[in-house]
Amino acid sequence: MASNTNNNQSLTHELLLRAHSPDTTNRIFAEKIQHRPLFLKPTSPPPSNARDARRKARAEKQKRAKALKPKPLSARQRRKLGLYEVPKEGQKYSVFEPLNRLWLGYIREILGSELYSGGQGAAAKLSAADFHGAEVEVSRSGCPSRVGIRGIVIKDTRFVFEIITRNDQVKTVPKEGTLFRISVPPAQEQMKEGATAQDRRPFTFEIHGDQFQHRSADRANKKFKPHFLKNL
């Protein structure tokens, strides 16, 4: 054993002598090889107290709860299950009339006093509004057969409006190349005697589908900027 140690030392000296002087070799060997400290880690963990035990138990409980939590369905799985489809027995105009009344109250509350004055403030609020339940009418379209379609919006996706008509028919109308007209009548309490003609007039506006190709959830956080529209 001693002979092996001496052989290793002599070999190390020979290798160091090739790059350093004898004094430097002796110093490097003594400081960095012969007397180099060896740090050892304890073989067993330190004793844990009650706080560490509780922390470990909480972490294990959270890990088990996370493993048992079901994963959300993917978009493909939701489409396969038909979660976005309106069932055939539910495709009736009368079913969505309460939704339309709810939307009218919602849009009146959003617009406030701008319901009768309009302007850029009303346009900004309408661009971020949700149109599920709104009664829309196709006023202009690149496809003439779509002009005149009127009904309640039952689905507002990125590229289309799904509308149910008074004949209980579901129409899928692309937003591209289409103008939608929407009228918001005044509330019943504003139709009393003494109300002016302006107060009784419905607030009517049009949506340019080409500039409205966003999901309703995305429009809520999107800022629309006025710019020139070549196709108008």
Side-chain angles (χ1 to χ4, degrees):
M1 185 69 181
S3 62
N4 291 336
T5 303
N6 293 331
N7 291 335
N8 292 336
Q9 290 180 358
S10 62
L11 180 60
T12 305
H13 270 282
E14 291 179 4
L15 293 174
L16 289 172
L17 283 171
R18 294 181 181 181
H20 304 283
S21 63
D23 295 336
T24 306
T25 300
N26 294 332
R27 180 176 56 79
I28 294 174
F29 182 81
E31 292 178 358
K32 297 188 177 181
I33 299 176
Q34 188 175 13
H35 302 295
R36 181 181 179 183
L38 180 63
F39 299 100
L40 300 176
K41 294 183 178 180
T43 56
S44 59
S48 60
N49 52 23
R51 179 181 295 179
D52 293 336
R54 291 195 298 270
R55 186 183 295 113
K56 186 177 180 181
R58 284 198 302 269
E60 291 179 354
K61 185 177 180 180
Q62 291 175 357
K63 187 176 180 180
R64 288 196 302 270
K66 188 176 181 180
L68 295 174
K69 185 178 180 181
K71 294 182 179 180
L73 296 175
S74 63
R76 179 178 296 178
Q77 290 173 330
R78 291 195 291 268
R79 287 194 299 268
K80 188 175 180 180
L81 294 173
L83 299 181
Y84 297 134
E85 303 297 329
V86 180
K88 195 71 177 178
E89 60 273 11
Q91 295 180 4
K92 297 180 180 179
Y93 186 86
S94 58
V95 173
F96 295 95
E97 282 182 323
L99 179 62
N100 175 246
R101 291 192 293 268
L102 186 66
W103 183 85
L104 289 174
Y106 155 77
I107 204 67
R108 290 187 190 113
E109 184 178 355
I110 285 181
L111 293 175
S113 60
E114 293 174 335
L115 179 63
Y116 306 104
S117 59
Q120 293 185 355
K125 293 177 181 179
L126 290 171
S127 63
D130 192 328
F131 285 88
H132 286 95
E135 187 172 5
V136 302
E137 180 183 0
V138 178
S139 58
R140 221 164 76 187
S141 176
C143 179
S145 63
R146 298 193 187 116
V147 177
I149 295 177
R150 181 170 185 158
I152 298 174
V153 176
I154 60 175
K155 189 187 295 184
D156 178 7
T157 65
R158 182 178 180 183
F159 297 112
V160 300
F161 275 142
E162 284 195 14
I163 302 170
I164 186 164
T165 65
R166 294 184 180 271
N167 298 328
D168 298 335
Q169 295 179 346
V170 177
K171 302 285 188 179
T172 301
V173 182
K175 295 180 181 179
E176 184 179 3
T178 307
L179 265 69
F180 301 90
R181 182 182 293 120
I182 301 176
S183 295
V184 182
Q188 293 294 332
E189 56 269 15
Q190 296 176 349
M191 298 291 291
K192 297 179 180 178
E193 295 182 1
T196 62
Q198 184 178 0
D199 293 338
R200 296 180 181 180
R201 188 176 57 186
F203 177 67
T204 304
F205 59 95
E206 287 187 339
I207 294 175
H208 300 273
D210 288 329
Q211 308 301 319
F212 222 65
Q213 297 186 37
H214 304 277
R215 297 186 305 125
S216 57
D218 297 335
R219 289 199 307 268
N221 299 320
K222 182 176 178 61
K223 293 184 178 180
F224 291 85
K225 297 181 180 179
H227 58 275
F228 174 73
L229 298 178
K230 185 178 180 180
N231 56 349
L232 290 183

